[in-house]
Amino acid sequence: MCSIAKLRRSISSPAVLAGAALCAASLTLYLLTLAPTLTWGWNGKGADGGELLAAANTLGIPHPPGYPTYTLLLRSFTALVPVGDFAYRGNLLSAVLAAAAVFTVYWAALRLCRSIKPDAPAVLAMTGAALGSAVFAASPLFWSQAIITEVYALNALFAGALLLLATGLALAPPSDRARAASSTEVRLALFGFLAGVGLGNHLTLLAVAIPLLYWIWPAVGLRRLASPWMIGPFILGIAIYAYLPIRAAQAPPVNWGDAGTVRGFIWMLTARPYQEYVFGVPAATLVSRLVSTLELTFSQFNPLGLFFGLMAVGPLRSRASRFFVAALAAMALISIYAVMYNSVDFEVLMIPVFLLFSVWIGVGFFWIMATWVRDFAQGDGDPPRWRIRLQASHQVVVLSILGFFLLPATSVILNYSSQDLSNDRTAHDRATGILDAAPDGSVVLSMQEKNVFSLWYMRYVERPERDVAIIAVRLLQFDWYLRDIHRMFPERVPALQGRDATGALKRIVEHNGGGPGVYFTFRSQALPDSFTLTKLDSNLYEARVRE
C-alpha cells in the first residue's frame, strides 16, 4: 500500500504532469499534421516508408542493415491498432514514438537542471526542461519524421531513453546509489538492453551510447559496466538481428541481401551497398555541405535557441563536466558522420544531435532564470520576502512566456504549412494509378527508390491479390536479387547472371514479348535500343521489342 501511494504521488506531481502535458501537446501537433496514408514525406525524406511498410506487413527484410527492431515493432503496432489503412498506422506509430521521445528529453533535462543548481526553485527547473523539450518537439526536422513511416522517431526515443537512464545513474547521490544497489543494476540492465535492441533499429545509436557510458562510468564503476547485468541484456537486445537469417530463409517478398547465408548476413550488417556513402562527400563540395548543415541547425533553433544552448556551456563544464564531454563527443561524432555521408537525406542523421542540444537549451534557459532570480533577491534595499518572491516570479513568468513564444510557438507558426501532410496522397495515388494500369501477369520496372518502394507497398500490402511483378532496376546489379526475382516470377523473369543491369533489362523485355507486357515507370537514354517505349501516361511506359 505504501509503494502504491508513493507511486500515485509521483504520477500526480507537478513535474510529471508538466511532462505529460508536453507529451500530449506534441502528440496533438503530430496528429494534426500526420500523413493520412503512404507518403514520401517532407522534401522527399520519407521515401523508404513504402518499403518499411511492405517489409513489416510481409515480415520481410528491408534495405541494410535490415532494421529488425523497427520492422517487428511496426508489424506489432499495426496489428494492435486497427485505425486507418496500414500506412496511416505506420505514420501514427512515429507520432507516438516521437511524443515519447519528447518526454525523455524533458525528464533528462529536468534532472540535469536539478543537479546543476539544486537550491533553485523547482518551477525554474521544470520551466527550463519544458522549454528545451518543446523546442525539440517543434524543430522542423524531427517534426517531419514524427508524421511519416520512418525509423528516426524510434531512434530518437532510444537516444532519449538512454540519456534518461544515464541521468538516473550518473546524477544519483553516492548515498542513494549505495542504498539502492539493486536499482542501479536494474538501470544498467535496461541501459544494456535498450542499447542492444536500439542498434537493431539504427546503428548510429552507438555514437550516443558510448559517450553516455563514459559519463556514468565513475558513478557505477568499471566492474558493474562489465558485469553480466550490463553485458547480458545488451547481448539479448542485439540478438534481435537473428530475425534476419531466420526470416530470410522463409523467402518473403521483400528480402534484401540473402541474409540466410553467412555472406549475406555480413553484407546486411555492414550495409555493404552504402559503404561508399560513408565519408563519400567530395572535397570540392565539403564546404557547401558544411554550410547546409549550419543552415539546417539554424532553422531548427533560431538565434535565440542557439543562444540559450550556448549559455549552458559554462554551468555544464563546471558542474556536470563529464556529461558536457559526453554530449559534445556524441554531437561531434554524429555531425561528422552526417556531414560526410554522401546521400540526399543526410540531414535526418542529425536528429540525435538536435536532441542533445535541446537538453542544453533547457539547461541554459534554466541557468539564466536561476541566476537572475538569485541576483534579484540579493539586490539593494531590504524589501519583504513576499515582495521579492512576487516580483521575481512575475519576471520569470514574463521571460518564460517570451521564451516559449519565440522558440517552439514561432517554429510551429512558421513551419506548420510546410510540415502539414494531412492532405498528402501523392505517393499513394501515383502507386495506385501505376498498379491499376498494369495488367495481371505483367512486369513493372522502376528506377527511383520512392517509386519502387511505393509500388512494393501497394502490391504487397493494399493489393496482395494483384499478380504484377514489381522489379527494382537498381537492384539488378546484385546476384541475390537476380535469384530472388527469378524464384518469385519464374515465368516472367529468366535466370539471370552477372551484374549487367542493361543486359538484364533487355532479357526481361524479350522474355515477355508474347505476354501481358512489360512496363517502365521511367525513360532513359541508357535503356537498350532493342525495344521501344510507348508512353501510356505521365508515369508509365509500355515496352515493345523492335521488329
Side-chain angles (χ1 to χ4, degrees), residues 447-465:
M447 175 73 77
Q448 289 186 313
E449 288 181 347
K450 67 177 188 178
N451 289 324
V452 173
F453 295 162
S454 298
L455 289 170
W456 280 357
Y457 167 78
M458 195 58 58
R459 169 66 178 82
Y460 298 121
V461 179
E462 290 203 4
R463 304 284 183 83
E465 74 282 357

Side-chain angles (χ1 to χ4, degrees), residues 129-149:
L131 179 67
S133 56
V135 168
F136 179 63
S139 59
L141 186 62
F142 181 63
W143 182 359
S144 74
Q145 298 303 299
I147 57 178
I148 64 174
T149 300

